[in-house]
Amino acid sequence: MFTPVPTGMARLIGVHGKCKVVEANEDHVEAIYPYMRRADQTEIAHMGHSPKSSLMTGLSYDDVTLTALDAEGVPFAMFGVGQLETGGYIWCLGTDGVNDNAYDFLRASRKYTQALTKPYGVTFNYVHDENKAALKWLKFCGASFIEELAINNELYYQFAIPYKECVNQQP
């Protein structure tokens, strides 16, 4: 089902319990997109994208794109940040491996979202109203929900994650 991706091919960013975070690459896209969580697939499909194209777009256009690996080196989530004319954007897409690694991933998430947000002051994006796990995770990471809007007749929430000086920024 899942195959490990050699971590020697990607620069190690941090170790968090049994998980590692590395710089993302195309091998990670290939390992994640066929197994992307159903809620993430639904969310990006409403925006007109496929799992693979969403991950590749992030990898191509982000200022920073990272991958979370489980204890066996299997990629289970990619996340990134970049610049738009209106400010920074932030995103995260994953497999069901996010649930299997929830404790270590969750513990590190707030620090990573803050470290990635810092250069922009605040980062934004949209989340589908039925992506309950993502909504809960975003709240944990300090997101504020700004407004509701319809995208292709589906309800989405725009969210913002502000940089907060008081959070330890070393992921």
Side-chain angles (χ1 to χ4, degrees):
M1 184 167 139
F2 294 110
T3 55
V5 175
T7 55
M9 299 175 72
R11 185 169 69 95
L12 181 66
I13 304 299
V15 177
H16 311 282
K18 296 178 184 174
C19 299
K20 293 180 182 174
V21 174
V22 298
E23 285 184 341
N25 62 46
E26 287 187 30
D27 290 337
H28 302 151
V29 171
E30 294 298 323
I32 291 172
Y33 91 83
Y35 307 103
M36 190 176 287
R37 292 179 330 120
R38 175 66 56 199
D40 287 350
Q41 288 182 41
T42 299
E43 185 173 286
I44 59 178
H46 291 146
M47 293 183 163
H49 302 286
S50 71
K52 186 173 184 177
S53 71
S54 292
L55 295 169
M56 287 301 296
T57 298
L59 191 59
S60 298
Y61 292 102
D62 290 351
D63 294 330
V64 177
T65 312
L66 302 173
T67 300
L69 308 173
D70 69 13
E72 287 77 41
V74 176
F76 65 85
M78 280 180 68
F79 51 102
V81 66
Q83 183 70 48
L84 295 172
E85 289 181 22
T86 56
Y89 65 84
I90 194 165
W91 64 275
C92 179
L93 297 168
T95 69
D96 288 331
V98 170
N99 298 334
D100 299 335
N101 297 280
Y103 180 76
D104 293 328
F105 184 68
L106 193 61
R107 284 185 57 209
S109 290
R110 189 177 294 151
K111 292 178 183 179
Y112 275 100
T113 56
Q114 283 296 296
L116 291 171
T117 296
K118 183 177 181 178
Y120 309 95
V122 63
T123 51
F124 299 89
N125 211 328
Y126 302 90
V127 62
H128 192 255
D129 76 319
E130 293 180 15
N131 196 340
K132 302 303 182 197
L135 288 163
K136 186 175 177 181
W137 177 75
L138 286 164
K139 287 177 188 175
F140 175 80
C141 290
S144 300
F145 296 91
I146 301 168
E147 67 177 329
E148 296 179 1
L149 64 148
I151 299 175
N152 293 324
N153 296 317
E154 294 288 332
L155 181 61
Y156 280 77
Y157 301 110
Q158 182 181 33
F159 67 86
I161 299 176
Y163 173 71
K164 296 179 182 171
E165 192 71 42
C166 62
V167 176
N168 178 359
Q169 299 309 309
Q170 295 300 316

